[in-house]
Amino acid sequence: MTDRIPRTTRRTALKTIGLAAFTGTAGVAAASPPGNGNGNGNGTDDSLRLFSEVAVDGTHEIATDGNYAYVATGNGLSVVDLRNPTRPEVVGSMTASDPAGGILDAKVDGDLVSLASNGGPGITLVDVSDPSDPTEISFVDVGHHIHNNFLADGYAYLTVNESGDAAFSEARTVVVDVRDPSDAAVVGEYRLKDDFPEFAMGGVSPCHDVYVQDDLLYQAFWDSGVVVADVSDPTDPQLVTQFGEAPGADGDGYTGERYLTPPGNAHYVQPSPDGDLVYVGAETFPGNFVDDPDNDDYGGIKIFDVSDTADPQELVRIDPPNADGFRTSHNFDVTANRLHASWYDGGVTVHDVTDPENPETLAGYRTDDTSFWGAKTTRSFTLAGDIGGGIAVLHNDRGKRESPGFDGSGSPDSPGMQ
């Protein structure tokens, strides 16, 4: 687990929503033709409201499937029933057995949940066929801490970030066959250095997160950008394309400033449902290197056109909200025409991405005592995970303009990869 930045206030009274924070989130990338985008300064005329809430101690990543949310809780899993969105409730929970620990990430596929152990050497597989009784099936030991993972079509994809001749030089995605979760086994891997040895030796290219859709594995390799591999044969991932690397990603080795500040820092990746676009969020920690950092110092979300995989093009960068405090991009969710984004202390925003070259901010939610790990969409709601505290169920015109009633633990002070 990483150290947390303590909050300056607690929930002893109603807090004020930072509506003015959500202005100017669409900026034009250098690759875009002049005149595209909304520019920095388009205001928002609406606010997300707190429709309901549920306390979940230890909240980090939220995964959803149908009427349930599956929440990584540091030491295990909590299951939240969303069938009545006015009263979401925790209906099941479990604590993962040793050697699991530091569970920040949960993913779900059908009746199976995988929990990534940032403080342990693998993933815990959980049977959620009865959401009220999540039951551990097995622990898959791959010999290294797992910061994030993904489940798709009977396989789990794990981020592994070992160092060899340079920091993170053995960064890779490990593929585990979980079709029989009681007898899961490693069957393949994609290793950055096999296709991009110079990037792997640059010292700032860990594999932070992964996403799988339509037999394509999208990997966020920090300063090396996004690497996409074909996993139609999960035992033998093959390079498809790479894009979005930082200048100097193949540079002179690890330093804290290179690692924690822009450019680069590809942290979270998700394709659009049709696969023609890829959204890439950057996570930066400029506070130790820059006095009074501004939005250029904090990580935003870039949209790439990958319809031609031989020539991916950056379309636009969505800037962080104009809010005081730690406001880098964190985890988000994408539909055909909406982006639901979290920004730690900067809150949660919803963007219309119908025209991906000109994204428009529709609404936002921020209080001075919340810090959001992720945002997910379900039905007409946005689920926002307040770190350590629980889930805020947000709606664009129904609910209250106030903070949740639970207490969270605050934002991290580093990416936390081990």
Side-chain angles (χ1 to χ4, degrees):
M1 299 290 287
T2 59
D3 294 334
R4 301 288 170 188
I5 300 172
R7 293 178 181 162
T8 57
T9 60
R10 307 300 296 167
R11 292 188 181 88
T12 55
L14 185 66
K15 303 297 191 254
T16 302
I17 301 290
L19 301 182
F22 303 104
T23 59
T25 60
V28 179
S32 298
N36 286 343
N38 293 344
N40 290 326
N42 71 308
T44 174
D45 59 2
D46 199 3
S47 169
L48 292 172
R49 301 181 185 183
L50 183 65
F51 183 81
S52 62
E53 62 186 84
V54 57
V56 182
D57 188 44
T59 292
H60 284 85
E61 182 72 341
I62 301 169
T64 58
D65 186 30
N67 292 315
Y68 294 91
Y70 301 87
V71 186
T73 59
N75 63 1
L77 172 73
S78 286
V79 183
V80 176
D81 187 339
L82 300 168
R83 286 178 293 182
N84 181 358
T86 63
R87 291 192 175 185
E89 63 173 326
V90 176
V91 294
S93 63
M94 56 81 68
T95 299
S97 60
D98 291 338
I103 295 169
L104 309 181
D105 188 46
K107 293 297 186 291
V108 61
D109 188 17
D111 291 337
L112 188 65
V113 164
S114 58
L115 304 175
S117 277
N118 197 51
I123 59 170
T124 301
L125 299 177
V126 183
D127 179 358
V128 292
S129 56
D130 178 357
S132 68
D133 185 27
T135 303
E136 181 170 334
I137 302 170
S138 63
F139 184 83
V140 185
D141 191 334
V142 298
H144 199 275
H145 307 283
I146 307 300
H147 193 61
N148 287 301
N149 76 141
F150 200 88
L151 275 180
D153 304 320
Y155 293 87
Y157 299 81
L158 286 55
T159 63
V160 173
N161 288 300
E162 288 184 297
S163 297
D165 294 333
F168 306 121
S169 59
E170 302 299 323
R172 60 194 183 273
T173 299
V174 168
V175 186
V176 179
D177 185 339
V178 296
R179 289 175 293 180
D180 178 358
S182 66
D183 190 28
V186 173
V187 295
E189 69 173 27
Y190 179 89
R191 198 174 291 244
L192 181 66
K193 74 175 186 180
D194 290 345
D195 288 312
F196 303 99
E198 296 84 2
F199 285 163
M201 291 300 295
V204 284
S205 293
C207 183
H208 184 275
D209 217 331
V210 291
Y211 198 98
V212 178
Q213 178 177 292
D214 297 332
D215 289 336
L216 293 177
L217 167 65
Y218 300 82
Q219 304 164 97
F221 271 106
W222 213 251
D223 276 18
S224 292
V226 174
V227 179
V228 183
D230 182 340
V231 288
S232 54
D233 177 0
T235 68
D236 187 27
Q238 294 294 314
L239 177 67
V240 174
T241 191
Q242 179 276 335
F243 55 90
E245 74 276 9
D250 57 352
D252 297 329
Y254 176 92
T255 69
E257 186 168 6
R258 286 188 69 209
Y259 180 45
L260 297 175
T261 63
N265 305 66
H267 161 275
Y268 189 80
V269 58
Q270 185 176 343
S272 59
D274 64 7
D276 285 345
L277 303 170
V278 174
Y279 294 73
V280 184
E283 182 182 44
T284 64
F285 295 80
N288 291 331
F289 307 98
V290 178
D291 291 332
D292 192 23
D294 60 22
N295 279 355
D296 289 336
D297 300 307
Y298 284 109
I301 299 172
K302 293 181 178 180
I303 305 176
F304 290 83
D305 182 342
V306 295
S307 55
D308 179 359
T309 57
D311 188 27
Q313 295 293 315
E314 181 181 330
L315 300 180
V316 71
R317 178 186 190 262
I318 298 175
D319 293 338
N322 288 328
D324 291 335
F326 183 61
R327 56 189 186 275
T328 191
S329 165
H330 207 240
N331 297 349
F332 53 80
D333 197 14
V334 176
T335 70
N337 58 9
R338 293 291 185 270
L339 166 67
H340 301 252
S342 69
W343 307 89
Y344 285 125
D345 300 353
V348 173
T349 53
V350 178
H351 308 264
D352 184 342
V353 290
T354 305
D355 178 357
E357 294 188 52
N358 294 275
E360 179 185 356
T361 307
L362 299 178
Y365 177 88
R366 187 185 77 85
T367 71
D368 62 6
D369 55 359
T370 49
S371 187
F372 292 105
W373 184 270
K376 300 286 288 186
T377 179
T378 180
R379 288 179 280 180
S380 61
F381 301 98
T382 301
L383 304 183
D386 183 25
I387 300 172
I391 298 176
V393 180
L394 307 175
H395 195 271
N396 62 354
D397 60 9
R398 298 161 59 194
K400 302 176 181 178
R401 299 178 185 270
E402 64 183 41
S403 295
F406 46 70
D407 286 329
S409 57
S411 53
D413 59 6
S414 76
M417 284 178 286
Q418 299 189 45

